């Protein structure tokens, strides 16, 4: 364990040495000294960890080393988080705060350097075997010994059946969107083995078919390398393309509307931007597309699952009892498992906590005197004594109904990804007022419990320049809960929660006001917004001028019962409309009064819209949208199906559970570019006109499932010379001699 810790620490030191902060503070010499000490210790660490089992003095030496290493890690992490927003590094910057800052970081590095020098010297009296350690320079390459594959090496694996079963069940649910499931744990505890068991499970193989991809990541989280590996896995051919744009296009073509499983094994790199860049490519898959990640770092697990839409997006496995006992004996002073809520006797050196009991049973806890706990996965109450706690990341807590009381007392807290509001003292939004949070993401739930507007203003979201992702939720309280809403005007609350203009993703749930806040109507306040989700706004009649947002690429609107148009011609003051100029994905759900996308046609509308999903919009018809290539419609009327003919660039069309549709409109014969047609659950569909089918000369895939009134296919199907896949399932109630399933595939050059 110490070996892995030192490896990460040396890498972080090298990264810190290359930063502007290190140059500004003049600590490069101290960093070189620290690196030499750590490298010297690395040379003997393997032998030391072998001998500590039988030699108590070596065990003490290793514990001193780990304590010092954690302190150094704290120092590096502290300044990487706190320095950018507070200090301006320029040659003319001689402000007292900056001088004090330089002195303090230099002093702390010097102190820990002396401590590690002494530990390095003490190694000589133990006569360790010394191995060669190479300091990496230049591009990272994954050592051969760290490469992993999907083949399970052991003939029999014990103690993983329960964990495997849980993950397999999660993967089998075809939920909407891309889901990421991290498996988190210390090195050597079987994360990769568990992922291999899942990858090779017969149900998983059957569920994802040939779209299962395994990639070993380690330190080299190169987006280009990962995309190349995906292409090689899917094509069984060497991929030499190094152009990022080309790779992005090729991978999306392969995974477009496909249910796939991607395993990213042994992820170490904490660069969130690289993950977001990769994720944008991966989101092209169909419902059920999943990514399984193994990592030692709970921070990585947290940000990689950021955009999942429920609390099933992360999986933490519990160690097998035998492995647990061994790990407990090795890390007895660093890792503790809380039993029966007793945490009063935990050693001060504890850094990792396991909580085997459910969250609800932890409400009895009153005292938590643990120090230096930087990442806490599950959430007990009584955290107010953890003055050194800096990252509180809440995952896998779907039943969590409140925060620990007085969380605002954690003055050192820098990361808090979730806050749940309650009306009781110690649980209100006031707890966020004094916290100097410095993070990319924040979710606030239970806003119906805000006591007064001043509580919302005091959060000061507009001052949090680092914030990129914000989620605001009303109506989080479950029915039957003892928590009661306060009745404060929701419009005033959301007005007070104005974010900084750096925000890139915004989600708002359950808003009960009838008007949007002024900051959502002013384009300059949210001009960097890339993704926006609005759900269950039952009282809003008109949306703000979202079409004017210059960077908006993804828009999802659900449950707006009173809205008739997505935009209004009054927003443009008589000027020719340029609406949604960057939008690529649009999703509309449960909008019974929506008639048109825009009230006024003409101008430049949706020029880059690629993906469109419509569910439960019975009055909607579509304008001409030549850039749309993928369309999914459900629970809609025939008028909407007819208007699809205006989508001249359409490549993929899914008509799902349009229950009143009796015949495909003849207007669809204009879809000459259509490559995929899926008809699912259209119970009254009786006919596919000959002229429609024979005109679809680009069609490569035709799927007809659960269309029970359809008795036959038109003869024109024999003219579909580009058809590669034909799937017909469950058309009629199964009776003896009735064909309920037919699947035919052929190479592109052959006729079905």
């Amino acid at each position: 364990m110490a070996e892995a810790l030192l490896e990460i620490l040396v890498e972080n030191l090298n990264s810190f040495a290359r930063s502007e902060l290190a140059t500004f503070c003049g600590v490069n010499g101290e960093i070189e000294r620290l690196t030499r000490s750590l490298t010297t210790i690395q040379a003997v660490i393997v032998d030391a960890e072998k001998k500590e089992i039988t030699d108590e003095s070596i065990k003490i030496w290793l514990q001193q080393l780990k304590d010092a290493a954690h302190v150094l890690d704290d120092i590096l992490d502290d300044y990487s988080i706190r320095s950018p927003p507070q200090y301006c590094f320029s040659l003319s910057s001689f402000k007292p705060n900056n001088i004090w800052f330089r002195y303090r970081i230099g002093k702390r590095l010097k102190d820990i350097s002396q401590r590690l020098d002494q530990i390095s010297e003490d190694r000589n009296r133990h006569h360790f075997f010394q191995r060669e350690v190479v300091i990496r320079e230049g591009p990272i390459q994954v050592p051969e010994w760290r490469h992993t594959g999907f083949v399970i090496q052991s003939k029999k694996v014990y103690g993983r059946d329960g964990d495997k079963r849980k993950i397999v069940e999660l993967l089998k649910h075809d939920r909407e969107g891309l889901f990421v499931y991290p498996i988190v744990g210390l090195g050597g505890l079987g994360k990769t083995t568990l992922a291999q068991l899942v990858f090779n499970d017969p149900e998983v193989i059957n569920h994802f078919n040939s779209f299962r991809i395994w990639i070993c990541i380690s330190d080299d989280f190169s987006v280009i390398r990962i995309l190349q590996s995906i292409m090689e896995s899917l094509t069984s051919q060497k991929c030499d393309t190094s152009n990022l744009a080309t790779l992005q296009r090729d991978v999306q073509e392969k995974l477009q509307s496909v249910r796939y499983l991607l395993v990213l094994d042994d992820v170490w790199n904490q660069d969130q931007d690289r993950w977001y860049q990769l994720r944008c490519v991966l989101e092209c898959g169909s419902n059920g597309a999943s990514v399984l990640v193994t990592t030692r770092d709970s921070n990585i697990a947290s940000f990689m699952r950021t955009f999942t839409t429920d609390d099933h997006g992360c999986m933490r496995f519990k160690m097998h009892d035998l492995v647990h006992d061994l790990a407990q004996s090795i890390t007895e002073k660093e890792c503790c498992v809380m039993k029966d809520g007793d945490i009063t006797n935990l050693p001060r050196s504890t850094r990792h906590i396991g909580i085997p009991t459910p969250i609800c049973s932890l409400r009895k806890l009153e005292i938590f005197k643990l120090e230096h706990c930087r990442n806490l996965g599950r959430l007990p109450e009584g955290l107010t004594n953890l003055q050194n706690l800096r990252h509180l990341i809440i995952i896998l807590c779907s039943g969590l109904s409140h925060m620990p009381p007085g969380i605002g007392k954690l003055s050192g807290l820098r990361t808090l990804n979730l806050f749940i509001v309650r009306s009781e003292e110690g649980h209100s939004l006031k707890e966020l007022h004094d916290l100097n949070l410095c993070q990319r993401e924040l979710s606030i739930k239970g806003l119906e419990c805000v006591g007064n507007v001043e509580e919302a203003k005091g959060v000061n979201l507009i001052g949090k320049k680092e914030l990129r992702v914000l989620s605001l939720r009303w109506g989080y309280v479950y029915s039957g809960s003892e928590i009661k809403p306060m009745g404060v005007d929701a419009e005033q609350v959301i007005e007070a929660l104005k974010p900084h203009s750096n925000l890139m993703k915004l989600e708002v749930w359950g808003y009960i006001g009838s008007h949007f806040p002024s900051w959502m109507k002013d384009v300059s306040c949210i001009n960097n917004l890339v993704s926006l989700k609005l759900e269950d706004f039952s009282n809003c009649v008109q949306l703000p001028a979202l079409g004017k947002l210059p960077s908006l690429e993804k828009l999802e609107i659900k449950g707006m019962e009173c809205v008739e148009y997505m935009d209004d011609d009054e927003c443009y003051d008589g000027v020719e409309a340029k609406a949604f100029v960057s939008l690529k994905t649009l999703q509309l759900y449960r909008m019974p009064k929506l008639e048109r996308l825009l009230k006024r046609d003409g101008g430049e509308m949706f020029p880059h819209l690629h993906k469109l999903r419509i569910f439960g919009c019975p009055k909607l018809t579509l304008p001409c949208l030549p850039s749309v290539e993928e369309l999914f419609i459900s629970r809609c009327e025939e008028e909407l199906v007819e208007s699809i003919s205006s989508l001249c660039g359409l490549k993929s069309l899914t008509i799902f559970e349009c229950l009143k549709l009796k015949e495909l409109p003849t207007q669809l014969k204009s879809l000459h570019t259509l490559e995929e047609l899926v008809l699912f659950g259209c119970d009254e569909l009786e006919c596919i006109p000959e002229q429609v089918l024979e005109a679809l000369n680009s069609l490569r895939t035709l799927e007809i499932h659960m269309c029970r009134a359809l008795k036959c296919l038109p003869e024109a199907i024999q003219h579909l010379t580009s058809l590669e896949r034909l799937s017909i399932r469950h058309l009629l109630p199964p009776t003896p001699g009735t064909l309920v399933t037919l699947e035919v595939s052929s190479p592109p050059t052959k006729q079905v």
Side-chain angles (χ1 to χ4, degrees):
M1 182 177 175
E3 180 187 10
L5 178 61
L6 292 184
E7 184 179 345
I8 296 173
L9 205 51
V10 171
E11 182 177 327
N12 289 343
L13 267 176
N14 290 335
S15 177
F16 185 64
R18 293 190 295 268
S19 70
E20 182 182 359
L21 173 59
T23 302
F24 172 80
C25 294
V27 294
N28 297 90
E30 209 63 63
I31 292 174
E32 291 179 6
R33 179 180 170 187
L34 282 165
T35 303
R36 284 196 300 270
S37 294
L38 290 174
T39 306
T40 302
I41 296 171
Q42 271 187 296
V44 301
I45 199 67
V46 173
D47 192 37
E49 291 188 318
K50 289 179 182 178
K51 294 178 178 179
E52 70 165 321
I53 299 176
T54 58
D55 192 326
E56 184 66 23
S57 64
I58 295 179
K59 178 183 281 191
I60 295 173
W61 180 81
L62 278 172
Q63 187 59 51
Q64 292 173 342
L65 169 63
K66 292 176 192 175
D67 289 342
H70 282 304
V71 171
L72 176 56
D73 193 33
D74 287 343
I75 294 172
L76 296 177
D77 188 57
D78 189 26
Y79 287 111
S80 67
I81 290 175
R82 292 169 55 187
S83 57
Q86 297 182 14
Y87 300 94
C88 176
F89 305 123
S90 63
L91 293 177
S92 59
S93 185
F94 293 105
K95 296 179 181 179
N97 283 346
N98 285 352
I99 295 173
W100 169 247
F101 177 82
R102 294 177 61 177
Y103 168 78
R104 187 166 182 266
I105 189 172
K107 178 70 166 55
R108 293 181 70 186
L109 286 175
K110 184 177 181 179
D111 290 345
I112 192 62
S113 181
Q114 291 174 348
R115 187 172 167 183
L116 282 168
D117 284 346
Q118 184 60 51
I119 293 172
S120 179
E121 291 179 9
D122 289 346
R123 84 192 188 284
N124 295 324
R125 58 189 174 89
H126 295 294
H127 306 291
F128 294 127
F129 170 77
Q130 185 167 324
R131 63 188 177 93
E132 182 180 1
V133 177
V134 178
I135 301 177
R136 282 190 312 229
E137 294 182 358
I140 300 172
Q141 293 187 354
V142 182
E144 184 175 351
W145 64 271
R146 281 177 59 178
H147 275 287
T148 64
F150 63 84
V151 177
I152 304 174
Q153 296 181 358
S154 302
K155 294 183 179 179
K156 182 66 176 176
V157 179
Y158 297 94
R160 287 287 177 258
D161 291 342
D163 294 325
K164 184 190 78 168
R165 187 74 253 150
K166 292 176 184 177
I167 301 177
V168 170
E169 289 302 318
L170 286 174
L171 293 175
K172 286 168 59 180
H173 288 289
D174 287 348
R175 290 184 290 269
E176 180 187 345
L178 178 65
F179 276 74
V180 183
Y181 303 99
I183 302 175
V184 189
L186 300 175
L189 296 184
K191 300 182 297 296
T192 296
T193 301
L194 178 57
Q196 290 170 336
L197 289 171
V198 171
F199 194 85
N200 291 283
D201 184 86
E203 293 184 52
V204 171
I205 295 174
N206 181 64
H207 189 68
F208 293 99
N209 298 316
S210 59
F211 292 95
R212 294 179 306 128
I213 307 161
W214 182 287
I215 301 176
C216 175
I217 303 296
S218 292
D219 300 302
D220 185 16
F221 200 102
S222 163
V223 176
I224 290 178
R225 182 180 76 85
I226 294 172
L227 294 178
Q228 288 173 333
S229 298
I230 292 175
M231 288 300 299
E232 290 174 358
S233 178
L234 295 175
T235 64
S236 299
Q237 296 178 354
K238 176 70 174 176
C239 179
D240 296 321
T241 305
S242 58
N243 182 275
L244 178 60
T246 302
L247 284 168
Q248 289 173 330
R249 181 199 63 203
D250 293 346
V251 169
Q252 286 198 328
E253 287 180 356
K254 289 292 183 182
L255 298 181
Q256 189 72 42
S257 301
V258 168
R259 181 173 60 206
Y260 66 84
L261 171 62
L262 171 63
V263 176
L264 302 177
D265 187 43
D266 194 28
V267 178
W268 288 64
N269 194 294
Q270 297 188 13
D271 190 336
Q272 298 185 31
D273 291 333
R274 294 190 187 184
W275 164 239
Y276 295 151
Q277 186 180 30
L278 176 62
R279 180 169 188 127
C280 290
V281 181
L282 299 177
E283 286 180 330
C284 63
S286 68
N287 292 352
S290 302
V291 179
L292 190 62
V293 179
T294 71
T295 180
R296 302 183 185 187
D297 193 323
S298 58
N299 276 335
I300 292 175
S302 178
F303 74 68
M304 290 189 77
R305 70 177 292 272
T306 296
F307 294 110
T308 55
T309 56
D310 65 14
D311 284 323
H312 298 292
C314 183
M315 176 69 189
R316 290 176 180 269
F317 67 87
K318 182 182 184 298
M319 294 181 290
H320 185 269
D321 289 342
L322 293 176
V323 180
H324 168 269
D325 293 342
L326 175 61
Q328 191 71 47
S329 66
I330 294 174
T331 62
E332 57 183 346
K333 293 186 178 180
E334 291 185 66
C335 302
C336 290
V337 176
M338 295 165 50
K339 297 180 180 179
D340 302 322
D342 182 13
I343 55 173
T344 57
N345 296 318
L346 291 178
R348 292 169 62 89
S349 59
T350 303
R351 292 175 176 272
H352 309 280
I353 316 166
I355 307 176
T357 53
I359 289 296
C360 59
S361 68
L362 297 175
R363 293 181 179 177
K364 299 178 182 179
L365 298 179
E366 295 179 357
I367 302 174
F368 204 138
K369 296 183 179 180
L370 183 64
E371 293 183 288
H372 296 296
C373 179
R374 297 172 50 208
N375 299 285
L376 190 61
R378 294 184 180 229
L379 189 62
E381 295 186 0
L383 297 177
T384 54
N385 291 322
L386 290 178
Q387 294 305 311
N388 289 317
L389 184 65
R390 287 185 288 171
H391 308 295
L392 181 52
I393 299 171
I394 304 171
I395 52 180
L396 274 178
C397 301
S398 57
L400 190 65
S401 62
H402 65 286
M403 306 301 292
I407 198 171
K409 297 177 182 178
L410 297 176
S411 57
L413 203 62
R414 295 294 175 265
T415 302
L416 179 64
N417 68 315
L418 169 66
F419 188 86
I420 302 173
V421 185
R422 289 182 60 172
S423 55
E424 293 91 339
E425 184 68 26
H427 296 275
S428 69
L429 268 182
K430 290 189 293 186
E431 298 298 319
L432 294 180
H433 290 190
D434 297 327
L435 292 180
N436 184 23
L437 298 179
C438 179
Q439 60 194 50
R440 293 177 63 96
E441 304 162 20
L442 175 62
S443 175
I444 305 178
K445 298 181 179 180
L447 286 169
E448 67 276 12
C449 296
V450 173
N452 56 70
V453 177
E454 296 305 315
E455 289 183 13
K457 290 181 179 179
V459 177
N460 188 29
L461 290 182
I462 195 171
K464 302 188 184 307
K465 298 180 180 180
E466 298 80 17
L467 200 63
R468 296 294 184 271
V469 179
L470 175 63
S471 175
L472 304 174
R473 186 162 186 166
W474 281 260
Y476 179 70
V477 177
Y478 299 110
S479 59
S481 171
E482 72 279 7
I483 309 170
K484 302 300 180 184
M486 298 298 293
V488 177
D489 189 354
E491 293 184 4
Q492 294 181 3
V493 172
I494 197 172
E495 187 70 51
L497 293 174
K498 178 180 179 180
H500 193 274
S501 60
N502 287 341
L503 195 70
M504 297 180 67
K505 180 176 183 179
L506 173 64
E507 295 183 350
V508 186
W509 308 63
Y511 175 62
I512 57 177
S514 57
H515 296 88
F516 282 82
S518 61
W519 55 266
M520 289 189 68
K521 298 176 182 178
D522 185 352
V523 176
S524 63
C525 293
I526 50 174
N527 63 323
N528 289 307
L529 211 60
V530 175
S531 177
L532 174 62
K533 179 176 182 178
L534 307 173
E535 182 164 349
D536 293 333
F537 286 35
S538 57
N539 297 322
C540 286
V541 177
Q542 182 176 324
L543 292 169
L546 302 179
K548 289 187 175 182
L549 296 177
S551 304
L552 190 64
E553 296 182 3
K554 183 175 182 179
L555 175 60
E556 185 174 341
I557 303 176
K558 293 185 177 182
M560 289 204 173
E561 300 175 358
C562 302
V563 170
E564 298 179 3
Y565 309 98
M566 284 180 52
D567 222 335
D568 199 310
D569 57 354
E570 297 176 1
C571 301
Y572 301 99
D573 300 323
V575 180
E576 185 180 14
K578 288 187 177 181
F580 299 100
V581 292
S582 298
L583 196 66
K584 297 178 181 178
T585 300
L586 174 61
Q587 302 184 35
L588 305 171
Y589 297 82
R590 304 191 312 275
M591 302 180 69
K593 293 187 178 181
L594 186 67
E595 297 180 5
R596 298 167 64 181
L597 297 184
L598 301 183
K599 192 171 183 179
R600 181 178 65 173
D601 292 332
E604 188 178 2
M605 302 184 303
F606 305 98
H608 300 293
L609 186 62
H610 171 79
K611 185 176 181 179
L612 178 59
R613 298 178 67 89
I614 303 170
F615 179 95
C617 302
K619 294 186 177 182
L620 180 64
T621 58
L622 297 175
C624 178
L625 300 170
S627 62
V628 172
E629 296 184 354
E630 180 181 339
L631 174 64
F632 175 97
I633 62 171
S634 178
R635 304 292 177 94
C636 297
E637 302 296 327
E638 186 174 355
E639 288 77 12
L640 174 60
V641 182
E642 291 177 355
S643 67
I644 295 174
S645 60
S646 64
L647 310 183
C648 56
L650 196 63
K651 293 184 179 180
S652 175
L653 171 61
T654 299
I655 302 177
F656 186 89
E657 292 186 351
C658 290
L659 303 178
K660 297 181 181 180
L661 185 65
K662 293 188 176 182
E663 179 177 326
L664 283 188
T666 56
Q667 290 92 332
L668 299 189
K669 65 183 181 180
S670 64
L671 302 179
H672 300 298
T673 61
L674 194 66
E675 298 178 357
E676 179 183 44
L677 174 61
V678 178
L679 305 173
F680 191 104
C682 300
D683 281 348
E684 296 191 18
L685 184 66
E686 298 176 351
C687 175
I688 301 177
E690 292 274 357
Q691 59 266 45
V692 172
L693 206 57
E694 66 183 4
L696 304 181
N697 45 31
S698 297
L699 202 64
R700 301 168 62 183
T701 297
L702 175 60
E703 297 185 15
I704 306 174
H705 299 171
M706 305 292 289
C707 299
R708 302 185 185 278
L710 187 64
K711 295 181 173 60
C712 63
L713 294 177
E715 294 183 1
I717 193 171
Q718 62 184 310
H719 300 302
L720 298 179
T721 56
S722 299
L723 196 65
E724 300 175 12
R725 184 171 187 269
L726 172 63
S727 177
I728 304 173
R729 296 185 179 183
H730 306 294
L731 297 190
L732 298 172
T735 58
T738 301
L739 180 65
V740 295
T741 300
L742 169 65
E743 290 202 28
V744 180
S745 298
S746 69
T749 56
K750 295 183 179 180
Q751 178 179 330
V752 177

